[in-house]
Amino acid sequence: MTTSKASVPQLRRTRLQRWWPTFMVTLTLILVGLLLVLPLLVVLITAFRSGVGPYLQALQTPDTLSALRLSLLTVLIVVPLNTVFGVSAAWATAKFDFPGRSLLLTLIDLPLAVSPVISGLVYVLLFGRQGWLGPWLEANDLKIIFAPAGIILATTFVTFSYVARELIPVMQAQGKDDEEAALTLGASGWQTFTRVTLPNIRWALLYGVIMCNARALGEFGAVSVVSGKIRGLTNTLPLHVEILYNEYQTVAAFAVASLLALFALLTLGLKALIESRTGHSHP
Amino acid sequence: MTSRLSSGRPARRHILPGLNLTLGYTLLYLSVIVLIPLAALVLKAAGLGLDGFWAAINTPRVWSALRVSFLTALAASLVNLPIGLVIAWTLTRYRVPGRRLVDALIDLPFALPTAVAGITLTTLLSPNGWLGAPLLEAGLRVAYTPLGIIVALIFIGLPFVVRSLQPVLEDLGYEPEEAALSLGATPSQTFARVILPALYPALLSGFTLALARTIGEYGSVVFISGNLPFKTEIAPLLIVGKLEQYDYAGAAAVAVAMLVISVTLLLAANSAQARLGRRGQA
Amino acid sequence: MRRIFTSALLLGGAATAATITLLNVSYDPTRELYQDINAAFAKQWQAKTGDTLKINASHGGSGAQARSVIDGLEADIVTLALAYDIDAIADKGLLPENWQKRLPYNSSPYTSTIVFLVRQGNPKGIKDWGDLIKPGVQVITPNPKTSGGARWNFLAAWGWAQKKYGGEAGAKDYVTKLFKNVPVLDSGARGSTTTFVERGIGDVLLAWENEALLATRELGVGKFQIIVPSVSILAEPPVTVVDKNAAKHGTAKVAQAYLQYLYTAEAQEIIAKNFYRPRSQDVATKYAAQFPKVNLFSIAQFGGWRAAQKKFFADGGVFDQVYSGR
Amino acid sequence: MSIQVQQVSKQFGTFAALHDVTLDVPDGQLVALLGPSGSGKTTLLRVIAGLETPDAGRVLLGGQDITHAGPGERGIGFVFQHYALFKHLSVFENVAFGLKVKRGGQRPAPAIIRDKVMRLLELVQLDWAAARYPAQLSGGQRQRVALARALAVEPQVLLLDEPFGALDASVRQELRDWLRRLHDEIHLTSIFVTHDQAEALEIADRIVVFNAGQIEQEGTPEEVYDQPATLFAYRFLGKANVLAQADGQVTLARPHDLHLHLTSVAGGIPGQITRIHVVGPEARVDVARSDGLGSLEVHVPKTQLGGVQVGQTVFLSAERQVVLPDKAGT
């Protein structure tokens, strides 16, 4: 095993015992294997414990399909919302300086540190029948909690920061020169954004969207508080995993879980592709 | 340079367009999605009055649950520091077979639903599980003990530490290390005095992010924790328990206590990182 | 949502007959039972009225489910683990205080009890409640704070101990020792069963009789056996219409019919098949082999659920004392 | 087109970047804004470009007040120190950018854009690189693309912010000559910012010396070099030998205005040679003054050096000297 940089001076070679890189690589593979690969294997092996037939069957039940639909609907709404927010927040905080900017940055991070249970609870306190807006919502026959709207809101809260967090440092590092150049060349604000800023941040943006998407698809704690768990109506895939598991349908539960793991792997694969395009790994 | 001086300072009127629009939208969205709901939570807890709030928090059960949540998250985040350092170091410096795959896998805990993680880890580590059985043989109980919670939280927190370290390690390059070696430092001195200090801000930020994220973790923990009061009962579970006894204000009170801890951590991380970052630039 | 769903179905075809949607919010172990009941009742209802009936089901911890209804989950019917949870809904004005008098048998069309599930051959020789506090015996039960079933478990143990030791002090001492033998406190009954059955933790599971039967017949045939203690509690899971929601949805009539159907011979048979003790004498006789005789005491012994909840499970109550006393 | 800056002030927080600056740039001139870092020259350039708004004062372009016009409406071309090329666009697309973002009716037809861009690329000698991306070009090439891009919108004036600051010495020299020639060809009113006095002296028609947010002096390169108005300007434009300092006056001379004598001359300053350093055709001689008032630097053609040696005592006289008020802190 040699070090990856081509121009490594002789100094390093003589100093480091030959076994050191081998040792580090082995240790890393063991850690990754134990912490990450093994759990993934458990999901897959359990899902296919009874063979491919039952696996496919479990994925085709109406309840699973409806949970899949709701999960996809949630993602389709939440990800664009948080993406528009992320771009907007990154533009405001990275291209401008204004009083309270660092407080705003902390607030954008806040949902990351809030327990998922609390993320669900706040909406119950706000929109539940006992909540602040509950009576008004009921009077107008609007349903938020225990309906897809509540699930979408709770998921939005949980994945709130992901796109913004990706974009802000990248936009900050890029500075304002490109935008100013576009302005001096006569571009309008919108042209500057779409033709200069957006291409500059596209990989970070895509990465943020992917991570937001992954979390939105997988959120459990917050959603379980506001879902009502009505089979076929307010079940998302992660909730459906729990339900199947509680019904002693272990194979089906893990089959759905493996579907989610598959989405996760797909996401990670896409992410790796992005990194190979940009040529460096992403924070 | 003059240009840097001028662009770094606030202008009275901004030439780049869109500040009002984007800042306005950002604040509106932040308020609707985050601030107003959190305000509702704080108001609910405030409804108890200061005495009532304190009475809801100041029970041995609540303290114990907060302690379990905090200590297990702390332990897991601490353990993640060396683990994350080894993985990040290896991925940036050595030729790892299947490097892209391994690198991509780091984000798995991010993307995998927490409930799936919880069920899977429990399956793996329970006394009759693949890992649990041999470990029990060796006298180590993992599932349904604080150790089980810590393992789940290590899983959840790992990406935060690795992802914080990776870019810094890439930027660091070999020069400072080689400079230290050329000045006669031993490899371990080089690591302790040159490399590690350069990584402090990243380690700190990864650590606090992992801590803030894991301290309130629920989905992956409830399955593996065993939920024994005073032993393995975590604070979010207590919130759920209070809710199920229709004690909204009590649940909100515990939630506010957790929120205060999380926000404090986040602020501490931000300011500490800013301080260390400044020192690092000088 | 319900309305949207209804109109979607209407647009989809079946234009002549109405499509009615009913939401039954229930607790964890009744999933299989209500799957069967819903199918049977919908069929019967369609034959009778021509209307298509779509019954949605929601399952979870009994307390959590009651809370969801209180917070706005628009259940037409609730079928929960214990009367206290429905009382809590009644307290919020969603249904009348006297709901339990509206249907026969305290509005409980089926009963169950608490039994012991042990591993095949009963290696620890567990016969009765007294054996549970022996050193080295691991007992699995869910957390009474979050699980209705666990509250029945607790009260069954308490009832036995109070009689055995002739007083509260003895009973408290007993349950304290009992919970010292509990290594895992899952948040729900289903979680406990999984812990015992799948994870192989514990020597004895305190379980709903229906859960125990399900475990022996379907989850691990030949791996477990049921031990019936000398005395246990008569668990009466109640059912009722949530009047306010049913009125809003215009489903009061069908909801009422649904609950009454539970008392019919057909439904009682389904109930027995799902390991719940039927109220119907005829069906009970037919399935007598399945349900051994147990000496049962009822919740009345504790002054009803409100009193029991306050004394045992409220914050600072007996259960909390059991844990904080260590 | 002429540029007038009238009493412009600009404050950043507590820092006064520009203080009451007034400047006239006649049509067709190439003007250098020269000064140390933080002296306000870049800020003035950005105010003219519309990238900063002045707190007070006006900016006129061809006699028209453009103080509140947007950067795109002023008819200026701006070249950034770090080029600010759009990385995701090819060289061609970069140059075409300003034409393609023009609104509907004003946007030239694609064929016209093509012709124009290619002509500009020929002008900057980069027509061969049209399809390349900025990352594939050298620093000097990138700067020329940036210039072509700025010229594509047919600006009335060209503003360049430290255009050669980020380049290697040799490339820098080459681009300087090239920029001067380009300016002679197209006669576009141009202002460039630099902190390198040699650069300013070499190519500018006029030099504006900046110090601490104010204009210190303004004039042709000869004027500012030979007749500096202030001690600061004198020192900033080249090596300054202090001959005498008294009564708030300081007497200075440039190294090549000093003469080296082997024997005593009237008013000559005696001293000892400490170092002789030959740079190409020129010899630089350091002389430590015998009166202990520091050392002086003399530049003489190598051929006129004679046989002087380090350690030898010599006498210095000034062919030309300047007496300026002695302001502290310069």
Side-chain angles (χ1 to χ4, degrees):
Chain A
M1 190 73 25
T2 56
T3 51
S4 58
K5 301 264 157 119
S7 59
V8 180
Q10 208 53 38
L11 191 61
R12 292 176 46 75
R13 281 299 196 80
T14 50
R15 170 182 52 84
L16 288 178
Q17 286 93 332
R18 279 183 185 284
W19 53 264
W20 180 248
T22 317
F23 169 75
M24 288 293 277
V25 169
T26 314
L27 187 61
T28 296
L29 291 180
I30 289 173
L31 284 170
V32 170
L34 276 179
L35 281 171
L36 303 173
V37 178
L38 201 57
L40 198 59
L41 279 180
V42 169
V43 173
L44 292 178
I45 289 174
T46 318
F48 286 101
R49 195 164 68 187
S50 313
V52 178
Y55 175 85
L56 291 176
Q57 216 168 13
L59 293 184
Q60 285 163 11
T61 65
D63 285 345
T64 305
L65 291 176
S66 101
L68 176 65
R69 265 196 302 277
L70 180 57
S71 279
L72 292 180
L73 174 75
T74 305
V75 161
L76 275 178
I77 293 175
V78 168
V79 174
L81 276 180
N82 280 342
T83 304
V84 171
F85 162 74
V87 171
S88 167
W91 180 271
T93 56
K95 303 282 179 198
F96 300 96
D97 206 346
F98 47 86
R101 181 176 161 276
S102 62
L103 177 69
L104 180 61
L105 287 174
T106 304
L107 287 177
I108 290 172
D109 274 353
L110 185 60
L112 282 183
V114 173
S115 173
V117 172
I118 298 177
S119 316
L121 172 63
V122 291
Y123 290 108
V124 172
L125 292 177
L126 202 58
F127 298 121
R129 203 197 293 259
Q130 313 291 308
W132 305 97
L133 295 175
W136 184 83
L137 289 172
E138 206 178 351
N140 291 282
D141 201 22
L142 292 170
K143 297 220 58 179
I144 293 186
I145 299 296
F146 311 117
I151 291 172
I152 289 165
L153 270 177
T155 309
T156 308
F157 185 103
V158 172
T159 58
F160 182 83
S161 324
Y162 284 87
V163 179
R165 268 186 75 85
E166 263 330 302
L167 289 185
I168 288 169
V170 172
M171 270 176 130
Q172 232 161 6
Q174 283 172 353
K176 300 193 288 193
D177 276 8
D178 281 14
E179 282 79 11
E180 289 181 345
L183 286 182
T184 63
L185 292 169
S188 69
W190 182 247
Q191 284 173 325
T192 303
F193 174 72
T194 52
R195 299 193 182 200
V196 174
T197 310
L198 216 50
N200 272 343
I201 58 168
R202 60 185 179 226
W203 296 117
L205 182 65
L206 188 55
Y207 183 82
V209 165
I210 283 174
M211 291 325 276
C212 179
N213 183 63
R215 280 292 278 140
L217 205 56
E219 179 47 30
F220 170 75
V223 167
S224 89
V225 179
V226 295
S227 132
K229 299 173 185 170
I230 310 169
R231 290 187 77 129
L233 288 184
T234 61
N235 255 346
T236 62
L237 282 181
L239 293 177
H240 195 54
V241 172
E242 195 210 13
I243 283 183
L244 289 171
Y245 185 73
N246 272 340
E247 285 177 6
Y248 309 122
Q249 301 188 45
T250 312
V251 168
F254 277 86
V256 177
S258 80
L259 193 66
L260 285 163
L262 196 74
F263 280 133
L265 284 178
L266 222 70
T267 299
L268 301 179
L270 210 58
K271 201 205 79 185
L273 200 73
I274 290 175
E275 278 163 8
S276 68
R277 285 293 301 262
T278 50
H280 63 89
S281 75
H282 224 286
Chain B
M1 256 0 70
T2 326
S3 62
R4 183 167 320 152
L5 237 172
S6 40
S7 59
R9 286 162 194 272
R12 193 162 295 167
R13 208 198 90 200
H14 301 282
I15 300 301
L16 276 188
L19 175 65
N20 289 343
L21 179 73
T22 54
L23 187 61
Y25 179 71
T26 299
L27 291 177
L28 178 75
Y29 191 76
L30 179 76
S31 303
V32 170
I33 301 294
V34 179
L35 297 184
I36 293 174
L38 286 181
L41 175 78
V42 175
L43 272 175
K44 187 82 201 177
L48 287 168
L50 206 58
D51 292 345
F53 178 78
W54 183 243
I57 299 292
N58 190 24
T59 73
R61 199 64 187 280
V62 173
W63 284 126
S64 148
L66 287 174
R67 198 165 49 235
V68 169
S69 278
F70 183 72
L71 289 181
T72 50
L74 186 71
S77 306
L78 283 175
V79 172
N80 262 335
L81 287 182
I83 293 181
L85 186 55
V86 166
I87 294 176
W89 182 273
T90 308
L91 285 179
T92 43
R93 296 232 162 168
Y94 304 128
R95 200 166 284 157
V96 182
R99 186 186 162 281
R100 282 213 182 284
L101 183 74
V102 174
D103 190 56
L105 269 177
I106 300 295
D107 280 328
L108 182 72
F110 241 28
L112 200 65
T114 50
V116 172
I119 293 173
T120 307
L121 288 174
T122 313
T123 307
L124 201 55
L125 291 165
S126 69
N128 59 2
W130 291 357
L131 284 180
L135 283 173
L136 193 64
E137 202 100 321
L140 196 63
R141 277 177 61 96
V142 181
Y144 313 117
T145 68
L147 195 58
I149 304 179
I150 292 172
V151 171
L153 296 184
I154 289 174
F155 179 79
I156 297 295
L158 183 65
F160 290 91
V161 180
V162 177
R163 294 300 182 222
S164 297
L165 282 170
Q166 260 176 330
V168 181
L169 278 172
E170 264 164 26
D171 282 352
L172 189 64
Y174 293 93
E175 273 184 21
E177 187 181 342
E178 285 161 3
L181 292 168
S182 71
L183 291 168
T186 65
S188 56
Q189 279 173 325
T190 305
F191 181 78
R193 297 191 185 189
V194 176
I195 295 170
L196 211 51
L199 297 179
Y200 281 157
L203 281 169
L204 183 77
S205 116
F207 171 77
T208 357
L209 273 178
L211 188 63
R213 168 78 176 82
T214 52
I215 215 167
E217 176 52 18
Y218 175 73
S220 63
V221 175
V222 279
F223 295 97
I224 203 170
S225 72
N227 306 331
L228 287 180
F230 297 101
K231 281 186 181 162
T232 55
E233 189 176 55
I234 54 169
L237 186 69
L238 212 60
I239 296 176
V240 173
K242 283 195 182 287
L243 277 181
E244 293 182 4
Q245 291 170 80
Y246 319 116
D247 181 6
Y248 290 81
V254 178
V256 166
M258 291 194 65
L259 203 60
V260 168
I261 296 176
S262 301
V263 172
T264 312
L265 278 172
L266 214 59
L267 287 174
N270 280 0
S271 70
Q273 212 195 348
R275 227 180 10 254
L276 279 174
R278 269 200 299 280
R279 203 188 67 186
Q281 273 165 12
Chain C
M1 189 62 223
R2 191 190 62 85
R3 194 156 296 163
I4 294 165
F5 196 85
T6 311
S7 47
L9 276 183
L10 279 174
L11 290 172
T16 49
T19 299
I20 306 165
T21 312
L22 215 53
L23 175 57
N24 176 4
V25 170
S26 193
Y27 62 115
D28 261 331
T30 60
R31 292 168 199 273
E32 296 78 10
L33 167 66
Y34 280 109
Q35 246 164 32
D36 296 351
I37 293 274
N38 291 349
F41 179 70
K43 202 170 139 197
Q44 199 208 51
W45 184 258
Q46 187 163 32
K48 209 163 98 186
T49 65
D51 293 345
T52 309
L53 185 59
K54 158 105 178 126
I55 305 169
N56 289 318
S58 167
H59 295 271
S62 186
Q65 293 292 81
R67 186 186 57 76
S68 293
V69 174
I70 289 171
D71 280 333
L73 180 58
E74 291 193 356
D76 301 285
I77 298 158
V78 287
T79 55
L80 296 176
L82 37 90
Y84 176 75
D85 290 328
I86 299 183
D87 282 341
I89 301 172
D91 286 348
K92 299 294 177 188
L94 292 174
L95 50 97
E97 293 280 333
N98 69 346
W99 63 271
Q100 211 164 2
K101 306 231 158 38
R102 297 195 292 188
L103 287 167
Y105 302 110
N106 286 329
S107 291
S108 301
Y110 43 84
T111 67
S112 189
T113 186
I114 301 301
V115 298
F116 304 162
L117 189 70
V118 298
R119 306 205 181 272
Q120 189 63 39
N122 195 3
K124 296 271 165 126
I126 287 154
K127 297 266 182 292
D128 204 357
W129 293 98
D131 299 321
L132 301 184
I133 58 170
K134 284 182 183 161
V137 173
Q138 287 196 327
V139 184
I140 303 296
T141 171
N143 186 343
K145 288 273 192 179
T146 52
S147 155
R151 286 177 217 173
W152 289 112
N153 290 351
F154 187 96
L155 293 178
W158 184 274
W160 173 86
Q162 201 175 23
K163 204 163 141 202
K164 166 99 177 172
Y165 302 111
E168 295 238 330
K172 199 165 162 184
D173 183 50
Y174 169 78
V175 292
T176 303
K177 284 181 183 149
L178 175 64
F179 275 94
K180 277 196 175 135
N181 278 352
V182 175
V184 177
L185 213 52
D186 284 291
S187 58
R190 281 278 147 118
S192 282
T193 313
T194 306
T195 299
F196 184 79
V197 171
E198 302 262 332
R199 310 273 165 258
I201 304 253
D203 304 304
V204 52
L205 172 73
L206 303 189
W208 292 100
E209 183 180 46
N210 51 294
E211 280 286 285
L213 285 166
L214 186 70
T216 50
R217 312 247 168 135
E218 287 177 14
L219 298 182
V221 182
K223 291 207 287 210
F224 308 102
Q225 65 187 77
I226 292 173
I227 303 291
V228 179
S230 62
V231 56
S232 189
I233 196 162
L234 172 70
E236 295 184 302
V239 302
T240 199
V241 173
V242 185
D243 298 46
K244 209 170 162 185
N245 292 340
K248 185 177 166 190
H249 302 154
T251 50
K253 215 177 97 199
V254 61
Q256 192 60 33
Y258 179 83
L259 295 186
Q260 270 155 0
Y261 171 75
L262 293 173
Y263 290 90
T264 63
E266 184 183 311
Q268 291 281 308
E269 181 106 19
I270 296 174
I271 283 166
K273 275 185 189 149
N274 279 285
F275 311 119
Y276 287 86
R277 293 188 176 217
R279 290 291 194 179
S280 153
Q281 213 45 60
D282 294 347
V283 181
T285 316
K286 187 173 164 193
Y287 286 87
Q290 187 172 302
F291 302 110
K293 269 213 97 47
V294 194
N295 291 318
L296 297 170
F297 56 88
S298 89
I299 187 70
Q301 184 179 323
F302 301 94
W305 262 112
R306 279 178 195 272
Q309 173 73 24
K310 190 154 177 267
K311 177 175 175 185
F312 292 101
F313 308 119
D315 275 358
V318 172
F319 177 71
D320 279 353
Q321 292 162 25
V322 160
Y323 263 101
S324 53
R326 46 179 70 205
Chain D
M1 194 160 286
S2 68
I3 302 167
Q4 273 110 39
V5 175
Q6 300 178 340
Q7 295 170 312
V8 162
S9 292
K10 176 75 186 173
Q11 191 102 6
F12 291 121
T14 57
F15 175 76
L18 290 176
H19 183 69
D20 199 16
V21 170
T22 297
L23 176 69
D24 264 337
V25 177
D27 189 20
Q29 280 206 338
L30 176 56
V31 173
L33 305 184
L34 176 67
S37 289
S39 61
K41 55 195 191 309
T42 290
T43 305
L44 181 63
L45 195 75
R46 289 170 60 86
V47 165
I48 295 171
L51 293 172
E52 304 283 358
T53 316
D55 300 337
R58 303 200 301 163
V59 180
L60 285 79
L61 196 66
Q64 212 182 349
D65 188 343
I66 54 153
T67 316
H68 297 290
E73 305 158 4
R74 301 187 171 202
I76 50 112
F78 199 96
V79 177
F80 290 78
Q81 183 180 2
H82 298 287
Y83 331 126
L85 291 182
F86 306 132
K87 291 183 282 296
H88 62 287
L89 299 180
S90 67
V91 166
F92 180 91
E93 291 294 331
N94 260 286
V95 177
F97 184 90
L99 301 170
K100 289 194 170 176
V101 294
K102 278 188 195 287
R103 257 151 276 254
Q106 292 168 305
R107 187 186 311 143
I112 298 177
I113 292 181
R114 228 198 115 64
D115 281 357
K116 189 161 187 182
V117 171
M118 288 318 290
R119 253 200 345 266
L120 277 165
L121 286 177
E122 276 165 38
L123 182 71
V124 299
Q125 299 154 4
L126 281 171
D127 43 332
W128 54 273
R132 299 213 172 178
Y133 283 84
Q136 297 166 296
L137 301 182
S138 72
Q141 291 167 339
R142 283 183 215 181
Q143 193 57 294
R144 293 196 328 245
V145 175
L147 196 61
R149 184 178 69 174
L151 291 174
V153 292
E154 293 180 6
Q156 317 279 1
V157 300
L158 185 60
L159 307 172
L160 306 102
D161 184 8
E162 306 240 5
F164 315 123
L167 299 172
D168 293 344
S170 63
V171 182
R172 226 172 143 130
Q173 184 60 48
E174 188 187 314
L175 267 183
R176 267 183 212 168
D177 300 344
W178 182 82
L179 178 67
R180 182 66 233 183
R181 279 203 308 277
L182 185 78
H183 185 261
D184 292 343
E185 251 172 70
I186 60 177
H187 290 296
L188 186 59
T189 312
S190 306
I191 304 180
F192 76 100
V193 158
T194 182
H195 61 264
D196 180 342
Q197 87 280 6
E199 194 167 289
L201 291 169
E202 219 170 289
I203 56 174
D205 296 324
R206 288 177 75 76
I207 292 179
V208 180
V209 182
F210 264 81
N211 183 31
Q214 283 175 301
I215 295 177
E216 198 85 9
Q217 188 178 6
E218 199 194 323
T220 64
E222 293 74 31
E223 280 166 1
V224 296
Y225 188 77
D226 293 334
Q227 293 145 37
T230 65
L231 192 53
F232 172 83
Y234 194 100
R235 290 208 153 138
F236 195 76
L237 281 156
K239 172 75 189 171
N241 286 310
V242 177
L243 301 182
Q245 207 164 3
D247 307 328
Q249 302 270 304
V250 59
T251 308
L252 303 123
R254 300 278 185 215
H256 56 255
D257 289 335
L258 290 177
H259 286 293
L260 209 57
H261 306 276
L262 297 179
T263 54
S264 175
V265 291
I269 301 166
Q272 224 173 18
I273 294 179
T274 52
R275 182 165 179 266
I276 299 170
H277 183 55
V278 177
V279 181
E282 188 180 66
R284 299 180 178 178
V285 182
D286 289 352
V287 177
R289 292 171 64 150
S290 306
D291 54 13
L293 291 173
S295 108
L296 300 169
E297 186 175 329
V298 188
H299 294 182
V300 294
K302 193 170 71 177
T303 48
Q304 294 174 22
L305 196 55
V308 294
Q309 307 247 312
V310 172
Q312 202 170 340
T313 299
V314 291
F315 300 87
L316 301 175
S317 70
E319 181 183 320
R320 186 161 54 181
Q321 60 186 43
V322 176
V323 180
L324 290 168
D326 185 5
K327 263 192 281 177
T330 54

